[in-house]
Coordinates of all heavy atoms in Angstrom, one line a residue:
L1 N -40.4 -29.6 -14.4 CA -41.5 -28.7 -14.8 C -41.6 -27.5 -13.8 O -42.0 -27.9 -12.7 CB -42.8 -29.5 -15.0 CG -42.9 -30.4 -16.2 CD1 -44.2 -31.3 -16.1 CD2 -43.0 -29.6 -17.5
S2 N -41.5 -26.3 -14.3 CA -41.5 -25.2 -13.4 C -42.9 -24.7 -13.4 O -43.6 -24.3 -14.4 CB -40.5 -24.1 -13.8 OG -40.9 -22.9 -13.1
G3 N -43.5 -24.6 -12.2 CA -44.8 -24.0 -12.1 C -44.9 -22.5 -12.2 O -46.0 -22.0 -12.3
D4 N -43.7 -21.8 -12.2 CA -43.7 -20.4 -12.5 C -43.6 -20.1 -13.9 O -43.5 -18.9 -14.3 CB -42.4 -19.8 -11.6 CG -42.6 -19.9 -10.1 OD1 -43.8 -19.7 -9.7 OD2 -41.7 -20.0 -9.5
G5 N -43.3 -21.2 -14.7 CA -43.0 -20.9 -16.2 C -44.3 -21.2 -17.0 O -44.0 -21.3 -18.3
I6 N -45.3 -21.2 -16.4 CA -46.6 -21.5 -17.2 C -47.0 -20.2 -18.1 O -47.3 -19.2 -17.5 CB -47.8 -22.0 -16.5 CG1 -47.4 -23.2 -15.6 CG2 -49.1 -22.2 -17.3 CD1 -48.5 -23.6 -14.6
R7 N -47.0 -20.3 -19.4 CA -47.4 -19.1 -20.1 C -48.8 -19.1 -20.6 O -49.3 -18.1 -21.2 CB -46.5 -19.2 -21.5 CG -45.0 -19.0 -21.1 CD -44.2 -18.9 -22.3 NE -44.1 -20.0 -23.1 CZ -44.4 -20.1 -24.4 NH1 -44.8 -19.1 -25.0 NH2 -44.1 -21.3 -24.9
T8 N -49.6 -20.0 -20.3 CA -51.0 -20.0 -20.7 C -51.7 -19.1 -19.7 O -51.3 -19.2 -18.5 CB -51.6 -21.4 -20.6 OG1 -51.0 -22.2 -21.6 CG2 -53.1 -21.4 -21.0
R9 N -52.7 -18.4 -20.0 CA -53.4 -17.4 -19.1 C -54.7 -18.1 -18.8 O -55.2 -19.0 -19.5 CB -53.7 -16.1 -19.7 CG -52.4 -15.4 -19.9 CD -51.8 -14.6 -18.7 NE -50.6 -14.0 -18.8 CZ -50.0 -13.1 -17.9 NH1 -50.7 -12.9 -16.9 NH2 -48.9 -12.6 -18.1
G10 N -55.2 -17.7 -17.5 CA -56.5 -18.1 -17.0 C -57.7 -17.5 -17.8 O -57.5 -16.8 -18.8
G11 N -58.9 -17.8 -17.5 CA -60.2 -17.5 -18.3 C -60.3 -15.9 -18.3 O -60.9 -15.4 -19.2
R12 N -59.7 -15.4 -17.3 CA -59.8 -13.7 -17.3 C -58.6 -13.1 -17.4 O -58.3 -12.0 -17.2 CB -60.4 -13.4 -15.8 CG -61.7 -13.8 -15.5 CD -62.2 -13.4 -14.1 NE -63.6 -13.8 -13.8 CZ -64.6 -13.2 -14.2 NH1 -64.5 -12.0 -14.9 NH2 -65.8 -13.6 -13.8
G13 N -57.6 -13.9 -18.0 CA -56.3 -13.4 -18.6 C -55.4 -13.3 -17.3 O -54.2 -12.8 -17.5
E14 N -55.7 -13.9 -16.2 CA -54.7 -14.0 -15.0 C -53.7 -15.0 -15.3 O -53.7 -15.9 -16.0 CB -55.6 -14.3 -13.8 CG -55.9 -15.7 -13.7 CD -57.2 -16.0 -14.4 OE1 -57.7 -15.2 -15.1 OE2 -57.8 -17.1 -14.1
R15 N -52.4 -14.6 -14.6 CA -51.5 -15.6 -14.6 C -51.7 -16.7 -13.8 O -52.2 -16.7 -12.8 CB -50.1 -14.8 -14.1 CG -48.9 -15.6 -14.2 CD -47.6 -14.7 -13.9 NE -46.5 -15.6 -13.9 CZ -45.7 -15.9 -13.0 NH1 -46.2 -15.4 -11.7 NH2 -44.6 -16.6 -13.0
I16 N -51.3 -17.9 -14.4 CA -51.4 -19.2 -13.7 C -50.1 -19.6 -13.1 O -49.0 -19.6 -13.7 CB -51.9 -20.3 -14.7 CG1 -53.3 -19.9 -15.2 CG2 -52.0 -21.6 -13.9 CD1 -53.8 -20.8 -16.2
V17 N -50.1 -19.8 -11.8 CA -48.8 -20.3 -11.2 C -49.2 -21.6 -10.4 O -50.2 -21.8 -9.8 CB -48.4 -19.1 -10.2 CG1 -47.1 -19.8 -9.3 CG2 -48.1 -17.9 -10.8
D18 N -48.2 -22.6 -10.5 CA -48.5 -23.8 -9.9 C -47.3 -24.4 -9.2 O -46.2 -23.8 -9.2 CB -48.9 -24.8 -10.9 CG -49.4 -26.2 -10.4 OD1 -49.8 -26.2 -9.2 OD2 -49.5 -27.1 -11.3
D19 N -47.3 -25.4 -8.6 CA -46.1 -26.1 -7.9 C -45.1 -26.6 -9.1 O -45.6 -26.7 -10.2 CB -46.5 -27.4 -7.1 CG -47.3 -27.0 -5.9 OD1 -47.0 -25.8 -5.4 OD2 -48.1 -27.9 -5.5
S20 N -44.0 -26.7 -8.7 CA -42.9 -27.3 -9.7 C -42.7 -28.8 -9.3 O -42.8 -29.2 -8.2 CB -41.6 -26.5 -9.6 OG -41.8 -25.2 -9.9
F21 N -42.4 -29.7 -10.4 CA -42.3 -31.0 -10.3 C -41.1 -31.6 -11.0 O -40.6 -31.0 -12.0 CB -43.5 -31.8 -10.7 CG -44.7 -31.6 -9.9 CD1 -45.6 -30.5 -10.2 CD2 -45.1 -32.5 -8.9 CE1 -46.8 -30.3 -9.5 CE2 -46.2 -32.3 -8.1 CZ -47.1 -31.2 -8.4
L22 N -40.5 -32.6 -10.4 CA -39.4 -33.3 -11.0 C -39.7 -34.7 -11.4 O -40.2 -35.4 -10.4 CB -38.2 -33.5 -10.1 CG -36.9 -34.2 -10.5 CD1 -36.3 -33.4 -11.7 CD2 -35.8 -34.2 -9.4
L23 N -39.8 -35.1 -12.6 CA -40.1 -36.4 -12.9 C -38.9 -37.2 -13.2 O -38.2 -36.8 -14.3 CB -41.1 -36.2 -14.2 CG -41.7 -37.7 -14.9 CD1 -42.5 -38.3 -13.9 CD2 -42.3 -37.4 -16.1
L24 N -38.7 -38.4 -12.7 CA -37.7 -39.2 -13.0 C -38.0 -40.5 -13.7 O -39.0 -41.2 -13.2 CB -36.8 -39.6 -11.6 CG -36.4 -38.5 -10.7 CD1 -35.8 -39.0 -9.5 CD2 -35.7 -37.5 -11.4
L25 N -37.4 -41.0 -14.7 CA -37.7 -42.1 -15.5 C -36.4 -42.9 -15.6 O -35.3 -42.5 -15.9 CB -38.0 -41.6 -17.0 CG -39.2 -40.6 -17.2 CD1 -39.2 -40.0 -18.6 CD2 -40.5 -41.4 -16.9
H26 N -36.6 -44.2 -15.2 CA -35.5 -45.1 -15.2 C -35.9 -46.3 -15.9 O -36.8 -47.1 -15.4 CB -35.0 -45.5 -13.7 CG -33.9 -46.3 -13.6 ND1 -32.9 -46.4 -14.3 CD2 -33.9 -47.5 -12.8 CE1 -32.0 -47.5 -14.0 NE2 -32.6 -48.2 -13.2
T27 N -35.3 -46.7 -17.0 CA -35.6 -47.9 -17.8 C -34.6 -49.0 -17.7 O -34.8 -50.1 -18.2 CB -35.8 -47.5 -19.2 OG1 -34.4 -47.2 -19.8 CG2 -36.7 -46.4 -19.5
G28 N -33.5 -48.8 -16.8 CA -32.5 -49.8 -16.8 C -33.0 -51.0 -16.0 O -34.0 -51.0 -15.1
P29 N -32.2 -52.2 -16.1 CA -32.7 -53.4 -15.5 C -32.1 -53.5 -14.0 O -32.4 -54.4 -13.3 CB -32.1 -54.5 -16.4 CG -30.8 -53.8 -16.8 CD -31.2 -52.3 -17.2
D30 N -31.3 -52.6 -13.7 CA -30.6 -52.5 -12.3 C -31.0 -51.2 -11.6 O -31.3 -50.1 -12.2 CB -29.1 -52.6 -12.4 CG -28.7 -53.8 -13.1 OD1 -29.1 -54.9 -12.7 OD2 -27.9 -53.6 -14.1
P31 N -31.0 -51.2 -10.2 CA -31.2 -49.9 -9.5 C -30.2 -48.9 -10.0 O -29.1 -49.1 -10.3 CB -31.1 -50.4 -8.0 CG -31.2 -51.9 -8.1 CD -30.7 -52.3 -9.3
A32 N -30.6 -47.5 -9.7 CA -29.8 -46.5 -10.2 C -30.0 -45.4 -9.2 O -31.1 -45.2 -8.7 CB -30.0 -46.1 -11.6

C-alpha cells in the first residue's frame, strides 16, 4: 500500500500523504 498514492483529499482539499506498508499473508502449514 503506497502512502503516496492516496487519492482521497482532506477536509480542506489538501493532498493526504502517509507511510507505505507491506502486508504479508501466509496461510500454509509450514514456514515460508
Side-chain angles (χ1 to χ4, degrees):
L1 287 169
S2 172
D4 293 324
I6 301 174
R7 292 187 293 123
T8 305
R9 294 282 177 167
R12 297 181 179 274
E14 71 276 13
R15 182 167 178 251
I16 299 175
V17 179
D18 193 12
D19 293 331
S20 297
F21 290 88
L22 177 66
L23 179 67
L24 306 180
L25 302 166
H26 177 47
T27 66
D30 301 308

